[in-house]
Amino acid sequence: MVKPLMPRQPVPGLVVPTVGGDNWRLQDQQPENFTLVVFYRGYHCPICKNYLAELNRLADDFAAKGVSVLALSSDNEERATAVKNEWELPNITIGYDLTLQQAKDWGLYTSAGRGVTSIGVEEPEVFSEPAVYLLRPDGTLYWGNVSTMPFARPHFKELLGALDFVIKNDYPARGELA
């Protein structure tokens, strides 16, 4: 059973390796305003390719607003490296080896692989579905969006616009009541 993360509450710890870098540790992040954690389905997903391309284009805009960014999946190092290089994502950090337990801890839905996708890539046996989380520097959840499907995800451009209001007005996290 999926258990959602709650706004204003600490999120689970997260440590993942990154393509071409060291381990990314949530506890080490010190953004001015937020950390944006984008869980994507993996190398097999053509929608993820377009989604992360948008994030890559807007990475400097997020940085200018004091937001650090990580995109990650349950892909292994080889597939994550292909995502970074073949999808041409030089502006964002790509994490990999998200475990099923980590996915569960973060309230993600998981799916069973169904063979080769429309882009000719085999789906992993099991993988997580998309989610986007905006975290406060203190490690608490500010905003989240979790999906059971690869489509109909939040647009990063809209999130950037919302951040202007949030930062200017010190707008509190909502949805905090269970």
Side-chain angles (χ1 to χ4, degrees):
M1 184 165 119
V2 174
K3 183 179 176 195
L5 301 183
M6 293 301 295
R8 302 186 190 182
Q9 297 302 310
V11 297
L14 184 62
V15 178
V16 292
T18 62
V19 174
D22 295 325
N23 283 346
W24 184 96
R25 292 174 177 77
L26 178 57
Q27 67 188 22
D28 295 343
Q29 302 309 300
Q30 297 180 347
E32 180 183 348
N33 290 306
F34 295 100
T35 298
L36 179 64
V37 180
V38 178
F39 294 91
Y40 69 98
R41 300 173 82 222
Y43 180 59
H44 65 277
C45 178
I47 297 172
C48 295
K49 180 178 181 178
N50 292 333
Y51 196 57
L52 293 184
E54 178 190 9
L55 180 59
N56 187 72
R57 280 191 305 275
L58 298 173
D60 289 343
D61 296 323
F62 278 106
K65 294 182 189 311
V67 179
S68 65
V69 175
L70 172 72
L72 74 153
S73 73
S74 57
D75 277 345
N76 61 26
E77 182 177 14
E78 180 182 352
R79 289 169 70 105
T81 300
V83 163
K84 178 86 170 172
N85 297 332
E86 292 176 22
W87 294 3
E88 300 177 3
L89 305 173
N91 302 323
I92 54 178
T93 301
I94 302 293
Y96 59 92
D97 281 348
L98 179 74
T99 68
L100 289 178
Q101 185 60 54
Q102 287 171 315
K104 180 179 177 181
D105 292 347
W106 279 79
L108 307 182
Y109 293 93
T110 54
S111 295
R114 298 178 41 113
V116 176
T117 65
S118 62
I119 58 171
V121 178
E122 182 84 22
E123 290 183 344
E125 187 176 316
V126 178
F127 57 91
S128 65
E129 292 296 340
V132 181
Y133 289 113
L134 200 56
L135 312 175
R136 289 273 191 196
D138 66 2
T140 58
L141 178 65
Y142 181 76
W143 170 82
N145 184 286
V146 181
S147 184
T148 64
M149 289 290 201
F151 44 80
R153 302 180 201 191
H155 295 278
F156 294 118
K157 192 77 169 172
E158 290 177 19
L159 180 54
L160 277 168
L163 284 170
D164 289 334
F165 177 84
V166 165
I167 294 166
K168 178 182 176 188
N169 296 292
D170 194 25
Y171 193 76
R174 304 310 319 252
E176 75 280 5
L177 302 178

